[in-house]
Amino acid sequence: MKVSEFNYNLPEDLIAQVPLEKRDTSRLLILDRKKQTVEHKKFKDIIDYLEPGDCLVRNNTKVIPARIYGKKETGANVEFLLLNNIEGDVWESIVRPGNKLHIGTKVIFGDGILKAEILEIMSGGTRKVKFYYNGIFNQILDKVGLMPLPPYIHEELKDKDRYQTVYAKYNGSAAAPTAGLHFTPELLRKIEEKGIKIANVTLHVGIGTFRPVKEDEVEKHDMHSEHYYIKQEDVDIINKAKEQGKRIISVGTTSCRVLETVADSNGILKEAEGDTQIFIYPGYKFKCIDGLITNFHLPQSTLLMLVSALAGKDFVMQAYEEAVKEKYRFFSFGDAMFIK
């Protein structure tokens, strides 16, 4: 299968640069797989497409302000992007300029409240970095760090919280699980009042989610790894819904990847923690999810391939054409799609 089959033309002015004032007023494209139809709605209308007993599964990871700017002891400016916490105060980081940051190099951030030393050059050119500080690391990061917005967003984010879901809980992501950005506390309350169950998974989104597919053939792509866990209390909610014949609806591709990684052949889950490199593309047989709430993804991306695996490539590409024609807003701060 050729990667080029997942290309589409997107005018640059449709790439959303800032979030809407109200999260749930974004547009919602409904894809009905059985009828092969599309409908145009507002995101808050999602409640009309959910039924009592359905289970929404959302990713409660929290984005950390992982982009930090500092200076070498020589005074030269450097930039770090924290990717994942290896252990304690040791992190894997993308560093710039890479050719100037050798093993043993020391860096100072924020007038010295945070210091770092390069320990190792890792495969792929990232660095193993140890941080030194007094206090609580996440509080210091809040002072010196910036939200690691995707490369296609060029506007400054005025409110850090708009790149977080309202239910974000566990620090660790370098990018937001963007399908969840559309939910408000009020909408979630109405959903629960209607009898829809809500369960959580945690997958810390890596910057690899934006890595382009460089192979010509889909099957040859080497998928990035991301850390996840799912607790017993959430496993119980999802399994009960499954056993009752109710729908499991994933909020976002990240939640989907956890569920499909953990589920057995019958779609039943168990408490688990680990790293997933699952790569879902057309031909994949879904074990757990019955529906997906998702944003609009980059051309030729692994996320577009995942969506196409669920709804069918031709149907998805037609829907994307329709979304472009109707001037939907694309990518992280853009509009949403519900595949039912």
Side-chain angles (χ1 to χ4, degrees):
M1 189 181 302
K2 297 291 185 187
V3 172
S4 57
E5 294 177 46
F6 297 90
N7 201 12
Y8 65 93
N9 292 316
L10 180 68
E12 199 168 324
D13 63 347
L14 295 186
I15 300 173
Q17 293 296 315
V18 292
L20 294 178
E21 187 179 338
K22 293 185 177 177
R23 292 174 183 261
D24 61 358
T25 57
S26 57
R27 295 166 80 186
L28 179 67
L29 190 66
I30 308 284
L31 271 65
D32 189 315
R33 288 183 286 165
K34 286 181 183 172
K35 297 178 182 174
Q36 294 283 291
T37 57
V38 299
E39 292 178 83
H40 303 281
K41 298 289 182 178
K42 292 288 186 185
F43 190 82
K44 57 189 173 186
D45 298 326
I46 189 75
I47 193 166
D48 298 332
Y49 294 85
L50 302 175
E51 299 162 8
D54 282 347
C55 181
L56 273 186
V57 184
R58 61 193 190 183
N59 182 6
N60 62 8
T61 188
K62 192 171 188 179
V63 185
I64 59 173
R67 192 180 299 280
I68 52 177
Y69 294 91
K71 291 183 182 293
K72 290 166 60 177
E73 290 177 322
T74 60
N77 292 322
V78 297
E79 175 190 349
F80 282 28
L81 179 62
L82 309 187
L83 292 184
N84 65 74
N85 186 202
I86 296 171
E87 59 179 6
D89 294 318
V90 178
W91 286 73
E92 180 185 2
S93 304
I94 294 173
V95 299
R96 295 189 183 96
N99 61 341
K100 302 286 188 183
L101 288 156
H102 308 295
I103 294 171
T105 302
K106 293 181 172 63
V107 178
I108 296 169
F109 303 93
D111 297 326
I113 63 170
L114 183 65
K115 297 178 181 178
E117 181 182 0
I118 307 291
L119 299 182
E120 184 184 317
I121 299 174
M122 303 178 73
S123 62
T126 57
R127 301 295 194 273
K128 187 182 281 189
V129 180
K130 180 158 188 182
F131 289 97
Y132 301 89
Y133 54 91
N134 291 315
I136 297 169
F137 184 69
N138 283 322
Q139 290 179 0
I140 290 168
L141 210 54
D142 276 336
K143 291 177 183 174
V144 302
L146 299 172
M147 281 298 185
L149 295 179
Y152 48 74
I153 291 178
H154 310 298
E155 295 278 332
E156 183 184 347
L157 181 63
K158 292 184 172 62
D159 178 2
K160 276 185 184 180
D161 286 342
R162 289 310 306 273
Y163 197 54
Q164 302 279 19
T165 63
V166 296
Y167 46 80
K169 190 172 183 181
Y170 299 109
N171 283 308
S173 276
T178 55
L181 294 178
H182 305 279
F183 287 94
T184 64
E186 296 76 23
L187 180 57
L188 287 166
R189 189 182 69 250
K190 287 177 183 174
I191 284 169
E192 288 192 279
E193 285 172 354
K194 189 175 176 179
I196 292 123
K197 306 300 180 188
I198 295 177
N200 297 295
V201 298
T202 307
L203 180 137
H204 293 315
V205 187
I207 213 72
T209 194
F210 302 117
R211 189 160 60 99
V213 179
K214 292 180 178 174
E215 305 288 348
D216 291 332
E217 293 178 22
V218 170
E219 296 84 354
K220 291 183 178 177
H221 176 64
D222 183 25
M223 194 70 175
H224 60 282
S225 177
E226 292 171 316
H227 193 71
Y228 72 86
Y229 50 92
I230 179 170
K231 296 180 178 180
Q232 189 62 50
E233 62 201 72
D234 298 299
V235 164
D236 292 342
I237 294 168
I238 298 164
N239 284 345
K240 186 175 180 183
K242 200 81 179 166
E243 287 161 7
Q244 292 174 343
K246 303 299 184 181
R247 293 182 302 173
I248 308 301
I249 296 166
S250 175
V251 179
T253 57
T254 59
S255 303
C256 169
R257 293 181 71 225
V258 175
L259 295 173
E260 293 299 316
T261 295
V262 177
D264 66 16
S265 58
N266 296 313
I268 301 301
L269 307 174
K270 61 181 184 303
E271 186 176 25
E273 178 173 4
D275 297 297
T276 181
Q277 283 184 285
I278 191 169
F279 183 17
I280 297 173
Y281 55 87
Y284 178 84
K285 297 287 185 267
F286 286 85
K287 299 176 290 184
C288 187
I289 76 162
D290 304 293
L292 176 69
I293 297 167
T294 187
N295 276 28
F296 291 91
H297 304 295
L298 277 73
Q300 302 189 158
S301 64
T302 59
L303 304 179
L304 181 52
M305 292 169 193
L306 184 155
V307 171
S308 297
L310 182 63
K313 179 173 70 70
D314 291 344
F315 186 34
V316 167
M317 299 313 287
Q318 287 167 18
Y320 268 60
E321 276 186 38
E322 175 92 354
V324 169
K325 189 178 78 176
E326 295 295 327
K327 296 194 177 333
Y328 273 64
R329 301 165 77 250
F330 277 66
F331 306 161
S332 295
F333 288 139
D335 296 317
M337 171 188 285
F338 176 40
I339 300 170
K340 64 191 280 280

